[in-house]
Amino acid sequence: MEHANNIIIKPELRKLVQDGWARCRVLFFSAPCGFGKTTVAAALLEGRTVQSLSAADGLPAALDPKCEVVLLDDVQLLRDCAEQEKLCGWMRTNREIHFVLLSRGIVPGWLLPFQFSGFMCTIESAAFLWEPSETEQYLAQCGISVSPAEAAAIQTATNGYALAMALLCHQMQKGVEFSQAVVDKVRRELFLHFETAVYRRFELPMRQVLISLAPFEQFNLELAQMVSGEIRVGELLSNLRRDTTMLLSDGRDQYHFWPIFQQFLLWELSQEYSIPEQQAVYSRAGLYYELRDDYAHALDCFEKSGEHRKVSALLVKNAELHPGVGRYYDMERYYYAMPEEEILRSPSLLCGMSMLTAMNVDFEASERWYAALKDYAARLKKSDAEYRDVRGKLAYLDIALPQRGSDGLAEVMVRIFRVLTDRQIKIPAFSVTSTLPSLMNGGKDFCEWSKRDELLYATLAKPVEAVLGRDGVGLADCAICESKFEKGEDVSQRLLSLLARQSEIHRKGTPDVEFAVIGLLARSQVAQGKAAAALETLDNLREEFVEAGETRFLANLDAMRCRIWLRIGQTDAADAWLREKAPASVPRMRAMWRYQYQTAAMVHIRREEYDEAQMVLAPLMPYCTACGRTMDELLLRLLTAICQYRMGSDGWQDTLSAALDTALEYQFIRPVAQYGGAILPLLTACGWEKDAAYFDRLLAQTRTQAVNYPTFLRPAKTLSEPLSPSEKQVLKLLCHDLSNQEIADTLGVKLATVKTHVNHILQKLNVKRRSEAKTAAETLHLV
C-alpha cells in the first residue's frame, strides 16, 4: 500500500487508477462523502501539473494551457446544461489532458456517452474501502497499538470507511481504549457530520422521504410513496441518486441505502419523529405488505407499530393456507410467541399450529394441537356456524399432516368424499405437491398407492378430484403417469395425453399440479438423454412463474435445474447454486426443503465432499422414517451408499441392499437408474441377487443413463501438476481434433515431441484417451 502524511491508498485502487489512466483520458470517482476521493486523487496526481476546479464555483472560461490534468470536484453539482456541454467539449478536444472527475453521485446521463464509448473509466465506492491490512497500517501510523482481535473488531465497526477510521483514531490518540463506548461516540460524531454535510442540505420533502424509508432494508417506489405520503417520491429518489451514492439500486425498481447511511437515517428518525409517528410509518408499511400477501414483512411492521390485533389477524389468515402457499417458516416465531389461550380460541390457529409443529418434526406437539381442535369440534352442534368449517379443518389435517403417512388415506378420501357430497364439511384448500415437482413424492408419499395404481386410478380419481377441488384437476392422470415412469415403463402416450390437458390445468387447476406435470415432462426428457431440452422446459416454466408472481416454486425449480446442470457438465452453475441458493441444513432441518437438501448433497458428491453430503442427508432420514416417506428414504440411501463406497466404508453394501429391497418391493427402476455411472460400480459389485429379472432391467436402464451422462456425479477432473506452455499449446490443438502429425506441422516440432507432450497431458489430466482429455480440459477451463 502507499501512504504519505497518513494517506493510505489500497494497491487495488492504485492499480485501478493506473489501468484507467492508460486506457482512458477521463476517470470518474463515484463515492459518498468521507471516502477520501479528493485526498486520494491529490496523492495519486502528485508530481503532475493539475488544474483543480470545483463545480460548486462554476467552470472557468478556459483551461490552463500548461495543465496535464484537470481535477474537478463535486461533479454532482454541475447542473447547468451550458456548463455540462463546456466540460464535455473540453474532454473531446483536449486529447493531451486527463480529466479526473469526483462525484458523490452516480455517473450522470450527460456523461454516459463517454463511459459507453470506453473514453471514461468509473471507479466506485467499494474500491475506496480499506481492507484489514490498510486498517492495521493506519492504526500503526497513528501510533495506536491494538491486539489482533481489537484490529478485527475495528475493521468490523468501521467497515474500512476512511472517515470513520479517522474519527476513531482521533479518539484513541487521546489515550481512550477501544470499546463499544468509543465506537458509539464515533458513530455519533459521524452522524453529526452526515447531518450537516448531507442531510440538512436537502429540502424538507426529501428529508421526510429519507427518514420514513430508514427502517427498510429494501424498498421500491410503491412502498416509498405509501410510507412517506409523498407523491413526488420517484422524482426525489432520482435526484438523490444523481447527487449522492447513499442510495443504491438493486435493479427491477428496488433500492437500498448504503448501510452506514441507513444507520444514520434510523438515528435521525429517532431524533425527529415521536414514538407514535414512528409507529405510523411501520403501520403504513405493514398495510403495504399485507396487500401484497407478504405476511412475514407485514408482521414485522405491525409488531413494530404496536398493532397486536393486526399481528393476530395475519397469523389467523396465514393459518388458513396450506404449507405450499402459507409462510409458516417465515412466521413461526410469531406463532410460537402467541399465548396458548389465544390459540385455543381459534380453530384456524389450532389447525395452523398442528401443521407448523409437524413441519418442524415435532409430531407430539402436532398431535396435541390436533386433539385440541378435535375437542373444539366436539363442543359444536351441527347448527353452529363454525361446524362445517371446523370439521373441514380436521379432515384437512387427516390428509395433510406428514406424520400420518399415506396408509389408510384411500379410506379417508372416500369418507371425506361422502360427507362433502352431503355438504357436512367445508374442506380448506389443499396441495398434494407442497411446491415440489412431483405428486408421488410431494406433500405426501404415494409409493404405496403405486402398487395398485391402475385400480386406484379407476376407483379414486373422481373422489380425489372432488376432495381437492382445483388442486385435483389433472392430478389423477399425472399421478398414474408418474407411477409408471418410476417403474421404468414407457409413458410417452400418457405424457402426451397429460400435456394435452395442460391448458385446462392452467385455467381450472393450480400451478402446483402444473409444476408436477412439467417436472415429470422434464424428468422424462432427461431419461431419454435430452437434458438440454429438459433445461429449456424448466427455464420456460420459470419465466412463466416469475411473470405470474408464483415465486414460491422457484427454490425447488432451481434445485431441479441444478440437477440437470450436473448431468450436462455445467458444474460452475451447480457450484453457484450451492453457494448462493442451497438452504443450510444446520442448525435446523426444514422438511419442506428436502428436495433442495438432496440436490445440495449431489453437488457435494460431485465435488468429492462426501462428509458434507452425508451431513446434509443424515437429518432427513428420521423425518422420512417417521412420516413413511418411502421414496425419500430410497433416494437418501442411494446417495449415502455412493458416499460410503467412495470413502471406502464397509457399510455401503448394506445401505445399497436396503435401497434395492425397497425399489424391488415397489418395482421402481428410475429412482436408482437415474444416478447412472455414479451408482453403476456399486450395482455391479454389491452381489444383490433377490430378483435376477428385475436386476437385469435395472442394470440395463442404469447403463443407459451412464451412457447419456457419463460425467454425472463423477469426481471433478483435476490437474496432478501444472501444464507447461508447450503442453498448453498442444492441448489447445488437440481439443480442435488435430492429429499428432497435424499438431507437429502446426508447431514446427518433431512428431515424437508431440507424442511426448500428449502423454504428459493425459497423465496430468488423469485420463487415458484424447477424447477424455478434451472433456477434462473444458471442465477445468483450460481451453
Side-chain angles (χ1 to χ4, degrees), residues 626-691:
C627 297
R629 301 208 67 97
T630 302
M631 181 64 78
D632 279 322
E633 276 194 87
L634 170 59
L635 297 172
L636 293 175
R637 286 197 172 101
L638 291 169
L639 291 171
T640 301
I642 293 172
C643 292
Q644 293 172 332
Y645 177 80
R646 293 187 181 176
M647 296 175 73
S649 170
D650 293 334
W652 71 267
Q653 292 99 332
D654 293 338
T655 305
L656 180 63
S657 293
L660 293 178
D661 290 347
T662 300
L664 172 64
E665 179 183 351
Y666 296 92
Q667 292 295 301
F668 289 156
I669 297 289
R670 306 263 190 212
V672 183
Q674 66 174 327
Y675 295 115
I679 200 72
L680 187 58
L682 285 72
L683 294 177
T684 56
C686 69
W688 187 84
E689 299 176 342
K690 291 191 176 179
D691 189 318

Side-chain angles (χ1 to χ4, degrees), residues 363-378:
F363 301 129
E364 182 180 347
S366 175
E367 293 298 342
R368 181 166 61 84
W369 291 118
Y370 176 87
L373 180 62
K374 198 170 183 179
D375 290 343
Y376 189 103

Side-chain angles (χ1 to χ4, degrees), residues 231-366:
I231 60 173
R232 298 186 304 117
V233 69
E235 177 189 344
L236 294 174
L237 292 181
S238 179
N239 291 342
L240 184 66
R241 291 267 292 155
R242 178 196 66 197
D243 296 340
T244 176
T245 47
M246 300 290 193
L247 179 65
L248 307 172
S249 173
D250 298 328
R252 287 178 173 265
D253 188 32
Q254 294 291 325
Y255 300 93
H256 70 275
F257 290 115
W258 177 47
I260 295 179
F261 188 64
Q262 184 185 17
Q263 294 172 21
F264 158 72
L265 291 175
L266 286 168
W267 175 78
E268 196 68 48
L269 175 68
S270 68
Q271 302 294 310
E272 293 197 11
Y273 276 19
S274 65
I275 296 298
E277 287 173 325
Q278 293 178 45
Q279 290 177 328
V281 169
Y282 285 113
S283 180
R284 291 193 293 271
L287 178 59
Y288 167 85
Y289 287 124
E290 182 183 4
L291 291 172
R292 283 149 187 81
D293 294 330
D294 186 347
Y295 293 169
H297 281 103
L299 279 173
D300 181 58
C301 291
F302 286 142
E303 183 181 46
K304 290 175 180 175
S305 71
E307 297 174 284
H308 300 297
R309 287 186 179 180
K310 288 189 176 180
V311 171
S312 297
L314 272 184
L315 291 174
V316 170
K317 192 174 181 180
N318 183 76
E320 292 171 349
L321 302 173
H322 61 73
V325 175
R327 299 290 189 267
Y328 288 90
Y329 286 149
D330 293 337
M331 302 166 68
E332 66 177 319
R333 78 174 180 90
Y334 298 98
Y335 280 113
Y336 284 121
M338 291 194 76
E340 183 167 332
E341 57 271 19
E342 185 174 348
I343 298 173
L344 293 172
R345 290 196 298 268
S346 168
S348 293
L349 289 175
L350 286 168
C351 181
M353 287 300 294
S354 181
M355 179 55 69
L356 174 61
T357 49
M359 290 164 61
N360 283 331
V361 202
D362 187 355
F363 301 129
E364 182 180 347
S366 175

Side-chain angles (χ1 to χ4, degrees), residues 189-261:
E189 289 182 4
L190 188 62
F191 289 171
L192 290 172
H193 171 74
F194 283 161
E195 188 173 49
T196 303
V198 180
Y199 184 71
R200 292 298 170 189
R201 295 187 179 185
F202 294 130
E203 299 290 336
L204 180 61
M206 175 74 85
R207 298 203 302 270
Q208 290 177 332
V209 167
L210 289 177
I211 59 173
S212 65
L213 292 173
F216 306 105
E217 296 295 329
Q218 190 181 61
F219 55 87
N220 58 20
L221 292 179
E222 279 187 279
L223 174 59
Q225 184 168 345
M226 193 157 188
V227 299
S228 68
E230 174 58 64
I231 60 173
R232 298 186 304 117
V233 69
E235 177 189 344
L236 294 174
L237 292 181
S238 179
N239 291 342
L240 184 66
R241 291 267 292 155
R242 178 196 66 197
D243 296 340
T244 176
T245 47
M246 300 290 193
L247 179 65
L248 307 172
S249 173
D250 298 328
R252 287 178 173 265
D253 188 32
Q254 294 291 325
Y255 300 93
H256 70 275
F257 290 115
W258 177 47
I260 295 179
F261 188 64

Side-chain angles (χ1 to χ4, degrees), residues 103-130:
S103 176
R104 294 183 181 182
I106 60 174
V107 177
W110 53 275
L111 283 177
L112 286 177
F114 291 94
Q115 181 170 316
F116 293 153
S117 64
F119 193 77
M120 183 175 78
C121 170
T122 302
I123 299 175
E124 298 182 338
S125 56
F128 293 87
L129 292 174
W130 291 348

